[in-house]
Amino acid sequence: MIELKPLGDRLVIDAIEQEDATASGILIPESAKEKPPQGKVLAAGPGRLDDSGKRVTMEVKVGDRVLYAKYAGTEIKLEGNRKVLILRESDVLALVE
């Protein structure tokens, strides 16, 4: 299995896919589904460096469930067609509790 270790203030996110049907049972075609704005943090970098060279620790940690910007990050395909997103911590909008 491929292990990804993000650098700086980057995160590896396992996107939580949208439902295939609405609550009333209407099926949603693949073409109408939007990129899921929610996911689980699989890996986190050590944090960014500030102007003086000090490490700024990340607010988001592995295991957190987050909402992120709609078009944020880069999608990477792993073994078994599993897809993950790599994005910056600044693209995270909120933690889901």
Side-chain angles (χ1 to χ4, degrees):
M1 183 169 150
I2 296 174
E3 293 261 343
L4 294 176
K5 182 178 179 184
L7 303 175
D9 66 341
R10 289 180 178 84
L11 303 163
V12 177
I13 305 285
D14 186 15
I16 297 171
E17 295 293 329
Q18 256 187 351
E19 297 295 323
D20 291 334
T22 64
S24 61
I26 298 172
L27 295 177
I28 302 170
E30 287 295 322
S31 60
K33 288 184 184 179
E34 293 184 18
K35 184 177 177 182
Q38 193 172 153
K40 182 178 177 185
V41 178
L42 299 177
R48 67 176 177 83
L49 295 175
D50 66 11
D51 294 335
S52 64
K54 289 184 181 178
R55 183 77 59 190
V56 177
T57 58
M58 306 262 283
E59 291 183 57
V60 179
K61 63 185 180 308
V62 174
D64 283 347
R65 193 166 173 171
V66 296
L67 293 176
Y68 53 88
K70 185 175 181 179
Y71 296 107
T74 302
E75 190 173 77
I76 305 293
K77 194 180 281 191
L78 301 177
E79 296 171 352
N81 290 334
R82 182 176 178 203
K83 294 177 186 176
V84 296
L85 286 172
I86 298 178
L87 51 89
R88 291 187 179 277
E89 185 181 35
S90 60
D91 290 327
V92 172
L93 304 174
L95 293 173
V96 178
E97 295 183 353

Coordinates of all heavy atoms in Angstrom, one line a residue:
M1 N 0.8 -1.2 0.0 CA 0.0 0.0 0.0 C 0.9 1.2 0.0 O 1.9 1.3 0.7 CB -0.9 0.0 1.2 CG -1.9 1.2 1.2 SD -3.1 0.9 2.5 CE -3.4 2.6 2.9
I2 N 0.5 2.2 -0.8 CA 1.2 3.5 -0.9 C 0.9 4.4 0.4 O -0.2 4.6 0.7 CB 0.9 4.2 -2.1 CG1 1.3 3.4 -3.4 CG2 1.5 5.6 -2.2 CD1 0.8 4.0 -4.7
E3 N 2.0 4.8 1.0 CA 1.8 5.8 2.1 C 2.1 7.2 1.6 O 3.2 7.3 1.0 CB 2.7 5.4 3.3 CG 2.4 4.1 3.9 CD 1.6 4.2 5.2 OE1 1.6 5.3 5.8 OE2 1.0 3.2 5.6
L4 N 1.3 8.1 1.9 CA 1.6 9.5 1.5 C 1.9 10.3 2.8 O 1.2 10.2 3.8 CB 0.4 10.1 0.8 CG 0.0 9.5 -0.5 CD1 -1.3 10.2 -1.0 CD2 1.1 9.7 -1.5
K5 N 3.0 11.0 2.8 CA 3.4 11.9 3.9 C 3.4 13.3 3.4 O 4.3 13.7 2.7 CB 4.8 11.5 4.4 CG 5.2 12.3 5.6 CD 6.5 11.9 6.2 CE 6.9 12.8 7.3 NZ 8.2 12.5 7.9
P6 N 2.4 14.1 3.7 CA 2.3 15.4 3.2 C 3.4 16.3 3.8 O 3.8 16.1 4.9 CB 0.9 15.9 3.6 CG 0.5 15.0 4.7 CD 1.3 13.7 4.5
L7 N 3.8 17.3 3.0 CA 4.8 18.3 3.4 C 4.2 19.6 3.9 O 3.1 19.9 3.4 CB 5.8 18.5 2.3 CG 6.5 17.3 1.7 CD1 7.3 17.7 0.5 CD2 7.3 16.6 2.8
G8 N 4.9 20.3 4.7 CA 4.4 21.6 5.1 C 3.0 21.6 5.7 O 2.8 20.8 6.6
D9 N 2.2 22.5 5.2 CA 0.8 22.6 5.8 C -0.2 21.9 4.9 O -1.4 22.3 4.8 CB 0.4 24.1 6.0 CG 0.3 24.8 4.7 OD1 0.8 24.3 3.7 OD2 -0.3 25.9 4.7
R10 N 0.2 20.8 4.3 CA -0.7 20.0 3.5 C -1.4 18.8 4.2 O -0.8 18.3 5.2 CB 0.0 19.5 2.2 CG 0.3 20.7 1.3 CD 1.1 20.2 0.1 NE 1.3 21.3 -0.8 CZ 2.3 22.1 -0.7 NH1 3.2 22.0 0.3 NH2 2.5 23.1 -1.6
L11 N -2.5 18.4 3.8 CA -3.3 17.4 4.3 C -3.7 16.3 3.3 O -3.9 16.7 2.1 CB -4.6 17.9 4.9 CG -4.5 19.0 6.0 CD1 -5.9 19.7 6.2 CD2 -4.0 18.4 7.3
V12 N -3.8 15.1 3.6 CA -4.3 14.1 2.8 C -5.7 13.8 3.3 O -5.9 13.4 4.4 CB -3.5 12.8 2.8 CG1 -4.1 11.7 1.9 CG2 -2.1 13.1 2.3
I13 N -6.7 14.0 2.4 CA -8.1 13.8 2.8 C -8.8 12.7 2.0 O -8.6 12.6 0.8 CB -8.9 15.1 2.4 CG1 -8.3 16.4 3.0 CG2 -10.4 15.0 2.7 CD1 -8.5 16.5 4.5
D14 N -9.5 11.9 2.7 CA -10.4 10.8 2.1 C -11.8 11.5 2.0 O -12.5 11.7 3.0 CB -10.4 9.6 3.0 CG -11.2 8.5 2.4 OD1 -11.4 8.5 1.1 OD2 -11.5 7.5 3.1
A15 N -12.1 11.8 0.7 CA -13.4 12.5 0.5 C -14.6 11.6 0.8 O -14.6 10.4 0.5 CB -13.5 12.9 -1.0
I16 N -15.6 12.2 1.4 CA -16.8 11.4 1.7 C -17.8 11.7 0.6 O -18.2 12.8 0.3 CB -17.4 11.9 3.1 CG1 -16.4 11.5 4.2 CG2 -18.8 11.2 3.3 CD1 -16.8 12.1 5.5
E17 N -18.1 10.6 -0.2 CA -18.9 10.8 -1.4 C -20.3 11.1 -1.0 O -20.9 10.8 0.0 CB -18.9 9.5 -2.2 CG -17.5 9.1 -2.7 CD -17.0 10.0 -3.8 OE1 -17.8 10.6 -4.5 OE2 -15.8 10.2 -3.9
Q18 N -21.0 11.9 -2.0 CA -22.4 12.2 -1.9 C -23.2 11.0 -2.0 O -22.8 10.0 -2.6 CB -22.7 13.2 -3.0 CG -22.9 14.6 -2.6 CD -23.4 15.4 -3.7 OE1 -23.5 15.0 -4.8 NE2 -23.7 16.7 -3.4
E19 N -24.4 11.1 -1.5 CA -25.4 10.0 -1.6 C -25.8 9.8 -3.1 O -25.7 10.7 -3.9 CB -26.6 10.3 -0.8 CG -26.4 10.4 0.7 CD -25.9 9.1 1.3 OE1 -26.4 8.0 0.9 OE2 -25.0 9.1 2.2
D20 N -26.2 8.6 -3.5 CA -26.7 8.3 -4.8 C -28.1 8.7 -5.0 O -28.6 8.7 -6.2 CB -26.5 6.8 -5.1 CG -25.0 6.4 -5.2 OD1 -24.2 7.2 -5.6 OD2 -24.7 5.2 -5.0
A21 N -28.8 9.0 -4.0 CA -30.2 9.3 -4.1 C -30.6 10.4 -3.0 O -29.9 10.5 -2.0 CB -31.1 8.1 -3.9
T22 N -31.6 11.2 -3.3 CA -32.0 12.2 -2.4 C -32.8 11.5 -1.3 O -33.2 10.3 -1.4 CB -32.9 13.2 -3.1 OG1 -34.1 12.6 -3.5 CG2 -32.2 13.9 -4.2
A23 N -33.2 12.3 -0.3 CA -34.0 11.7 0.9 C -35.3 11.2 0.4 O -35.9 10.2 0.9 CB -34.2 12.7 1.9
S24 N -35.9 11.8 -0.7 CA -37.2 11.3 -1.2 C -37.0 10.2 -2.2 O -38.0 9.7 -2.7 CB -37.9 12.5 -1.9 OG -37.1 13.0 -2.9
G25 N -35.8 9.7 -2.5 CA -35.6 8.5 -3.3 C -35.3 8.8 -4.8 O -35.2 7.9 -5.6
I26 N -35.1 10.1 -5.1 CA -34.7 10.5 -6.5 C -33.3 10.1 -6.7 O -32.4 10.6 -6.0 CB -35.0 12.0 -6.8 CG1 -36.5 12.2 -6.6 CG2 -34.5 12.3 -8.2 CD1 -36.8 13.7 -6.7
L27 N -32.9 9.4 -7.8 CA -31.6 9.0 -8.1 C -30.8 10.2 -8.7 O -31.3 10.9 -9.5 CB -31.5 7.8 -9.0 CG -32.0 6.5 -8.5 CD1 -32.0 5.4 -9.5 CD2 -31.2 6.1 -7.3
I28 N -29.6 10.4 -8.2 CA -28.7 11.5 -8.7 C -27.7 10.9 -9.7 O -26.9 10.0 -9.3 CB -28.0 12.2 -7.6 CG1 -29.0 12.7 -6.6 CG2 -27.1 13.3 -8.1 CD1 -28.4 13.2 -5.3
P29 N -27.7 11.3 -11.0 CA -26.7 10.8 -11.9 C -25.3 11.3 -11.6 O -25.2 12.3 -11.0 CB -27.2 11.3 -13.3 CG -28.0 12.5 -12.9 CD -28.6 12.3 -11.6
E30 N -24.3 10.5 -12.0 CA -22.9 10.9 -11.8 C -22.6 12.3 -12.2 O -21.9 13.0 -11.6 CB -22.0 9.8 -12.4 CG -21.9 8.5 -11.8 CD -21.3 8.6 -10.4 OE1 -20.4 9.3 -10.1 OE2 -21.9 7.8 -9.5
S31 N -23.1 12.6 -13.4 CA -22.8 14.0 -14.0 C -23.4 15.1 -13.1 O -22.9 16.2 -13.3 CB -23.4 14.0 -15.4 OG -24.8 13.9 -15.4
A32 N -24.4 14.9 -12.3 CA -25.0 15.9 -11.5 C -24.4 16.0 -10.1 O -24.6 17.0 -9.4 CB -26.5 15.7 -11.4
K33 N -23.6 15.0 -9.7 CA -23.0 15.0 -8.4 C -21.9 16.1 -8.3 O -21.1 16.2 -9.3 CB -22.4 13.7 -8.0 CG -23.4 12.6 -7.8 CD -22.8 11.4 -7.3 CE -23.8 10.3 -7.1 NZ -23.1 9.0 -6.7
E34 N -21.8 16.8 -7.2 CA -20.8 17.8 -7.0 C -19.6 17.1 -6.3 O -19.8 16.1 -5.6 CB -21.3 19.0 -6.3 CG -22.3 19.7 -7.0 CD -22.8 21.0 -6.3 OE1 -22.1 21.4 -5.3 OE2 -23.8 21.5 -6.6
K35 N -18.4 17.7 -6.4 CA -17.3 17.3 -5.6 C -17.6 17.4 -4.1 O -18.1 18.4 -3.7 CB -16.1 18.2 -5.9 CG -14.8 17.8 -5.3 CD -13.7 18.7 -5.7 CE -12.4 18.4 -5.1 NZ -11.4 19.3 -5.5
P36 N -17.5 16.3 -3.4 CA -17.8 16.3 -2.0 C -17.0 17.3 -1.2 O -15.8 17.2 -1.2 CB -17.6 14.9 -1.5 CG -16.7 14.3 -2.5 CD -16.9 15.0 -3.8
P37 N -17.7 18.2 -0.5 CA -16.9 19.2 0.3 C -16.5 18.7 1.7 O -16.2 19.5 2.6 CB -17.8 20.4 0.3 CG -19.2 19.8 0.4 CD -19.1 18.5 -0.5
Q38 N -16.7 17.4 2.0 CA -16.4 16.9 3.3 C -15.6 15.7 3.2 O -15.6 14.9 2.3 CB -17.8 16.5 4.0 CG -17.7 16.3 5.4 CD -19.1 16.1 6.0 OE1 -19.2 15.4 7.0 NE2 -20.1 16.7 5.5
G39 N -14.7 15.5 4.2 CA -13.8 14.4 4.2 C -13.1 14.1 5.5 O -13.3 14.9 6.5
K40 N -12.4 13.0 5.6 CA -11.7 12.6 6.8 C -10.2 12.8 6.6 O -9.7 12.4 5.5 CB -12.0 11.2 7.2 CG -11.3 10.7 8.4 CD -11.7 9.3 8.7 CE -11.0 8.8 10.0 NZ -11.3 7.4 10.2
V41 N -9.5 13.4 7.5 CA -8.0 13.6 7.4 C -7.3 12.3 7.6 O -7.4 11.7 8.7 CB -7.5 14.7 8.4 CG1 -6.0 14.9 8.3 CG2 -8.3 16.0 8.2
L42 N -6.5 11.8 6.6 CA -5.8 10.6 6.7 C -4.3 10.8 7.1 O -3.7 10.0 7.8 CB -5.8 9.9 5.3 CG -7.1 9.4 4.8 CD1 -6.9 8.8 3.4 CD2 -7.8 8.5 5.7
A43 N -3.8 12.0 6.7 CA -2.4 12.3 7.1 C -2.3 13.9 7.1 O -3.0 14.5 6.4 CB -1.4 11.7 6.1
A44 N -1.4 14.4 7.9 CA -1.2 15.8 8.0 C 0.3 16.1 8.1 O 1.1 15.3 8.7 CB -1.8 16.3 9.3
G45 N 0.7 17.2 7.4 CA 2.1 17.6 7.4 C 2.5 18.2 8.8 O 1.7 18.3 9.6
P46 N 3.8 18.5 8.9 CA 4.3 19.1 10.2 C 3.8 20.5 10.4 O 3.9 21.0 11.5 CB 5.8 19.0 10.1 CG 6.0 19.0 8.6 CD 4.9 18.3 8.0
G47 N 3.3 21.2 9.4 CA 3.0 22.6 9.5 C 3.9 23.5 8.7 O 5.0 23.1 8.3
R48 N 3.4 24.7 8.5 CA 4.2 25.6 7.6 C 5.3 26.3 8.5 O 5.2 26.3 9.7 CB 3.3 26.6 6.9 CG 2.7 27.6 7.9 CD 1.8 28.6 7.1 NE 1.2 29.5 8.1 CZ 1.7 30.6 8.7 NH1 3.0 30.9 8.4 NH2 1.0 31.3 9.5
L49 N 6.3 26.9 7.8 CA 7.3 27.7 8.4 C 6.9 29.2 8.3 O 6.5 29.7 7.2 CB 8.6 27.5 7.8 CG 9.2 26.1 7.9 CD1 10.5 26.0 7.1 CD2 9.5 25.8 9.3
D50 N 7.0 30.0 9.4 CA 6.7 31.4 9.3 C 7.9 32.1 8.8 O 8.9 31.5 8.5 CB 6.2 31.9 10.7 CG 7.2 31.9 11.8 OD1 8.4 31.7 11.5 OD2 6.8 32.1 12.9
D51 N 7.8 33.5 8.7 CA 8.9 34.3 8.2 C 10.2 34.2 8.9 O 11.3 34.4 8.4 CB 8.4 35.7 8.1 CG 7.3 35.9 7.1 OD1 7.2 35.1 6.2 OD2 6.6 36.9 7.2
S52 N 10.1 33.9 10.2 CA 11.3 33.7 11.0 C 11.9 32.3 11.0 O 12.9 32.0 11.7 CB 11.1 34.2 12.5 OG 10.1 33.3 13.1
G53 N 11.2 31.4 10.3 CA 11.7 30.0 10.2 C 11.1 29.1 11.3 O 11.5 27.9 11.4
K54 N 10.2 29.6 12.1 CA 9.6 28.8 13.2 C 8.5 28.0 12.6 O 7.7 28.5 11.7 CB 9.1 29.6 14.3 CG 10.2 30.2 15.2 CD 9.5 31.0 16.3 CE 10.6 31.6 17.2 NZ 10.0 32.4 18.3
R55 N 8.3 26.7 13.1 CA 7.2 25.9 12.6 C 5.9 26.3 13.2 O 5.8 26.4 14.4 CB 7.6 24.4 12.9 CG 6.6 23.4 12.5 CD 6.7 23.0 11.0 NE 8.0 22.5 10.6 CZ 8.3 22.3 9.3 NH1 7.4 22.6 8.4 NH2 9.5 21.9 9.0
V56 N 4.9 26.5 12.4 CA 3.5 26.8 12.9 C 2.7 25.5 12.9 O 2.5 24.9 11.8 CB 2.8 27.9 12.0 CG1 1.4 28.1 12.5 CG2 3.7 29.2 12.0
T57 N 2.4 25.0 14.0 CA 1.7 23.7 14.1 C 0.3 23.8 13.5 O -0.3 24.9 13.4 CB 1.5 23.2 15.6 OG1 0.8 24.2 16.3 CG2 2.9 23.0 16.2
M58 N -0.2 22.7 13.0 CA -1.5 22.6 12.3 C -2.6 22.5 13.3 O -2.5 21.9 14.4 CB -1.5 21.3 11.5 CG -0.3 21.2 10.5 SD -0.8 21.7 8.9 CE -1.7 20.3 8.3
E59 N -3.7 23.1 13.0 CA -4.9 23.0 13.8 C -5.7 21.7 13.5 O -6.4 21.2 14.4 CB -5.8 24.2 13.6 CG -5.3 25.5 14.0 CD -6.3 26.7 13.8 OE1 -7.4 26.6 14.3 OE2 -5.9 27.6 13.1
V60 N -5.5 21.2 12.3 CA -6.2 20.0 11.9 C -5.3 18.8 12.2 O -4.1 18.9 11.9 CB -6.6 20.1 10.4 CG1 -7.3 18.8 10.0 CG2 -7.5 21.3 10.2
K61 N -5.9 17.7 12.7 CA -5.1 16.5 12.9 C -5.7 15.3 12.3 O -6.8 15.3 11.8 CB -4.9 16.3 14.4 CG -6.2 16.1 15.2 CD -6.0 16.0 16.7 CE -7.2 15.7 17.4 NZ -8.3 16.6 17.2
V62 N -4.9 14.2 12.2 CA -5.4 13.0 11.6 C -6.6 12.5 12.3 O -6.7 12.5 13.6 CB -4.2 11.9 11.7 CG1 -4.8 10.6 11.2 CG2 -3.0 12.3 10.9
G63 N -7.6 12.1 11.6 CA -8.9 11.6 12.1 C -10.0 12.6 12.1 O -11.1 12.3 12.3
D64 N -9.6 13.9 12.0 CA -10.6 15.0 12.0 C -11.5 14.8 10.7 O -11.0 14.5 9.7 CB -10.0 16.4 12.0 CG -9.5 16.8 13.4 OD1 -9.8 16.1 14.4 OD2 -8.7 17.8 13.4
R65 N -12.8 15.2 10.9 CA -13.7 15.3 9.8 C -13.8 16.8 9.4 O -14.1 17.6 10.3 CB -15.0 14.7 10.1 CG -15.9 14.4 9.0 CD -17.1 13.6 9.4 NE -18.0 13.5 8.3 CZ -19.0 12.7 8.2 NH1 -19.2 11.9 9.2 NH2 -19.8 12.6 7.2
V66 N -13.6 17.1 8.2 CA -13.5 18.5 7.8 C -14.4 18.9 6.6 O -14.7 18.0 5.8 CB -12.0 18.9 7.5 CG1 -11.1 18.8 8.7 CG2 -11.5 18.1 6.3
L67 N -14.8 20.2 6.5 CA -15.4 20.7 5.3 C -14.3 21.5 4.6 O -13.5 22.2 5.3 CB -16.5 21.7 5.7 CG -17.7 21.0 6.3 CD1 -18.7 22.1 6.7 CD2 -18.4 20.1 5.4
Y68 N -14.2 21.4 3.3 CA -13.1 22.1 2.6 C -13.7 22.8 1.4 O -14.8 22.5 1.0 CB -12.0 21.2 2.2 CG -12.5 19.9 1.4 CD1 -12.6 20.0 0.1 CD2 -12.8 18.7 2.1 CE1 -13.0 18.8 -0.6 CE2 -13.2 17.6 1.4 CZ -13.3 17.7 0.1 OH -13.7 16.6 -0.6
A69 N -13.0 23.8 0.8 CA -13.4 24.5 -0.3 C -13.7 23.6 -1.5 O -13.0 22.6 -1.7 CB -12.3 25.5 -0.7
K70 N -14.7 24.0 -2.2 CA -15.3 23.1 -3.3 C -14.2 22.7 -4.3 O -14.2 21.5 -4.7 CB -16.4 23.8 -4.0 CG -17.1 23.0 -5.1 CD -18.3 23.8 -5.6 CE -19.0 23.0 -6.6 NZ -20.2 23.7 -7.1
Y71 N -13.4 23.6 -4.8 CA -12.4 23.2 -5.8 C -11.0 23.2 -5.3 O -10.0 23.3 -6.0 CB -12.5 24.2 -7.0 CG -13.8 24.2 -7.7 CD1 -14.8 25.2 -7.5 CD2 -14.2 23.1 -8.5 CE1 -16.0 25.1 -8.1 CE2 -15.4 23.0 -9.1 CZ -16.3 24.0 -8.9 OH -17.6 23.9 -9.5
A72 N -10.8 22.9 -4.0 CA -9.5 22.9 -3.4 C -8.8 21.6 -3.7 O -9.4 20.5 -3.9 CB -9.7 23.1 -1.9
G73 N -7.5 21.6 -3.6 CA -6.7 20.5 -3.7 C -6.5 19.8 -5.0 O -7.0 20.2 -6.0
T74 N -5.7 18.7 -4.9 CA -5.4 17.9 -6.1 C -5.8 16.5 -5.8 O -5.4 15.9 -4.7 CB -3.8 17.9 -6.3 OG1 -3.4 19.3 -6.5 CG2 -3.5 17.1 -7.5
E75 N -6.6 15.9 -6.7 CA -7.0 14.5 -6.5 C -6.0 13.6 -7.0 O -5.4 13.7 -8.1 CB -8.3 14.3 -7.3 CG -9.0 13.0 -7.0 CD -10.4 12.9 -7.6 OE1 -10.4 12.6 -8.8 OE2 -11.4 13.1 -6.9
I76 N -5.7 12.6 -6.2 CA -4.6 11.6 -6.5 C -5.3 10.2 -6.5 O -6.1 9.9 -5.5 CB -3.5 11.6 -5.4 CG1 -2.9 12.9 -5.3 CG2 -2.5 10.5 -5.7 CD1 -2.1 13.4 -6.5
K77 N -5.0 9.4 -7.5 CA -5.6 8.0 -7.5 C -4.5 7.0 -7.0 O -3.4 7.0 -7.4 CB -5.9 7.6 -8.9 CG -6.8 6.4 -9.0 CD -7.1 6.1 -10.5 CE -8.3 6.9 -11.0 NZ -8.8 6.5 -12.3
L78 N -4.9 6.2 -6.0 CA -4.0 5.3 -5.4 C -4.4 3.9 -5.8 O -5.2 3.7 -6.7 CB -4.2 5.3 -3.8 CG -3.8 6.7 -3.2 CD1 -4.1 6.6 -1.7 CD2 -2.4 7.1 -3.5
E79 N -3.7 2.9 -5.2 CA -4.0 1.5 -5.6 C -5.5 1.2 -5.4 O -6.2 1.7 -4.6 CB -3.2 0.6 -4.7 CG -1.7 0.7 -4.9 CD -1.0 -0.1 -3.8 OE1 -1.6 -0.6 -2.8 OE2 0.3 -0.1 -3.9
G80 N -6.0 0.3 -6.3 CA -7.4 -0.1 -6.2 C -8.4 1.0 -6.6 O -9.5 1.0 -6.1
N81 N -7.9 2.0 -7.3 CA -8.7 3.1 -7.8 C -9.3 4.0 -6.6 O -10.3 4.7 -6.8 CB -9.9 2.7 -8.6 CG -9.4 2.2 -10.0 OD1 -8.4 2.6 -10.5 ND2 -10.2 1.3 -10.6
R82 N -8.6 3.9 -5.5 CA -9.0 4.7 -4.3 C -8.5 6.2 -4.6 O -7.4 6.3 -5.0 CB -8.4 4.2 -3.1 CG -8.7 5.0 -1.8 CD -8.2 4.3 -0.6 NE -8.5 5.2 0.5 CZ -7.8 5.1 1.6 NH1 -6.8 4.3 1.8 NH2 -8.2 5.9 2.6
K83 N -9.4 7.2 -4.4 CA -9.0 8.5 -4.6 C -8.9 9.3 -3.3 O -9.8 9.1 -2.5 CB -10.0 9.2 -5.6 CG -10.1 8.6 -6.9 CD -11.1 9.3 -7.8 CE -11.3 8.6 -9.1 NZ -12.4 9.2 -9.9
V84 N -7.9 10.1 -3.2 CA -7.7 11.0 -2.0 C -7.4 12.4 -2.6 O -7.0 12.6 -3.7 CB -6.6 10.5 -1.1 CG1 -6.9 9.2 -0.5 CG2 -5.2 10.5 -1.8
L85 N -7.6 13.4 -1.7 CA -7.2 14.8 -2.0 C -6.0 15.2 -1.2 O -5.9 14.9 0.0 CB -8.4 15.7 -1.7 CG -9.6 15.7 -2.6 CD1 -10.7 16.5 -2.0 CD2 -9.3 16.2 -4.0
I86 N -5.2 16.0 -1.8 CA -4.1 16.6 -1.1 C -4.4 18.1 -1.2 O -4.5 18.7 -2.3 CB -2.7 16.3 -1.7 CG1 -2.4 14.8 -1.6 CG2 -1.6 17.1 -1.0 CD1 -1.1 14.4 -2.2
L87 N -4.5 18.8 0.0 CA -4.8 20.2 0.0 C -4.1 20.9 1.2 O -3.7 20.2 2.1 CB -6.3 20.4 0.0 CG -7.2 19.7 1.1 CD1 -7.3 20.5 2.3 CD2 -8.6 19.6 0.5
R88 N -4.1 22.2 1.1 CA -3.5 23.0 2.2 C -4.5 23.2 3.3 O -5.7 23.2 3.1 CB -3.1 24.4 1.6 CG -1.9 24.3 0.7 CD -1.5 25.7 0.3 NE -0.4 25.7 -0.6 CZ 0.9 25.6 -0.2 NH1 1.2 25.4 1.0 NH2 1.8 25.6 -1.1
E89 N -3.9 23.3 4.5 CA -4.8 23.6 5.7 C -5.7 24.8 5.5 O -6.8 24.8 5.9 CB -3.9 23.7 6.9 CG -4.8 23.8 8.2 CD -4.0 24.0 9.4 OE1 -2.9 24.7 9.4 OE2 -4.4 23.5 10.5
S90 N -5.2 25.8 4.8 CA -6.0 27.0 4.6 C -7.2 26.8 3.7 O -8.1 27.6 3.7 CB -5.1 28.1 3.9 OG -4.6 27.7 2.7
D91 N -7.3 25.6 3.0 CA -8.4 25.3 2.2 C -9.5 24.6 3.0 O -10.6 24.4 2.6 CB -8.1 24.3 1.0 CG -7.3 25.0 0.0 OD1 -7.5 26.2 -0.2 OD2 -6.4 24.4 -0.6
V92 N -9.2 24.3 4.3 CA -10.2 23.7 5.2 C -11.0 24.8 5.8 O -10.5 25.8 6.3 CB -9.5 22.9 6.4 CG1 -10.5 22.5 7.4 CG2 -8.8 21.7 5.8
L93 N -12.3 24.7 5.7 CA -13.3 25.7 6.1 C -13.7 25.5 7.5 O -13.9 26.5 8.3 CB -14.5 25.7 5.2 CG -14.2 25.9 3.7 CD1 -15.5 25.7 2.9 CD2 -13.6 27.2 3.4
A94 N -13.9 24.3 8.0 CA -14.4 24.0 9.3 C -14.2 22.5 9.7 O -14.0 21.7 8.8 CB -15.9 24.3 9.4
L95 N -14.2 22.3 11.0 CA -14.1 20.9 11.5 C -15.6 20.5 11.7 O -16.4 21.3 12.2 CB -13.4 20.9 12.8 CG -11.9 21.1 12.8 CD1 -11.4 21.2 14.2 CD2 -11.2 20.0 12.0
V96 N -15.9 19.3 11.4 CA -17.2 18.7 11.7 C -17.2 17.9 13.0 O -16.4 17.0 13.1 CB -17.7 17.8 10.5 CG1 -19.1 17.2 10.8 CG2 -17.7 18.5 9.2
E97 N -18.0 18.3 13.9 CA -18.0 17.6 15.2 C -19.3 16.8 15.4 O -20.3 17.0 14.8 CB -17.9 18.7 16.3 CG -16.6 19.4 16.3 CD -16.5 20.4 17.5 OE1 -17.4 20.6 18.2 OE2 -15.4 20.9 17.6

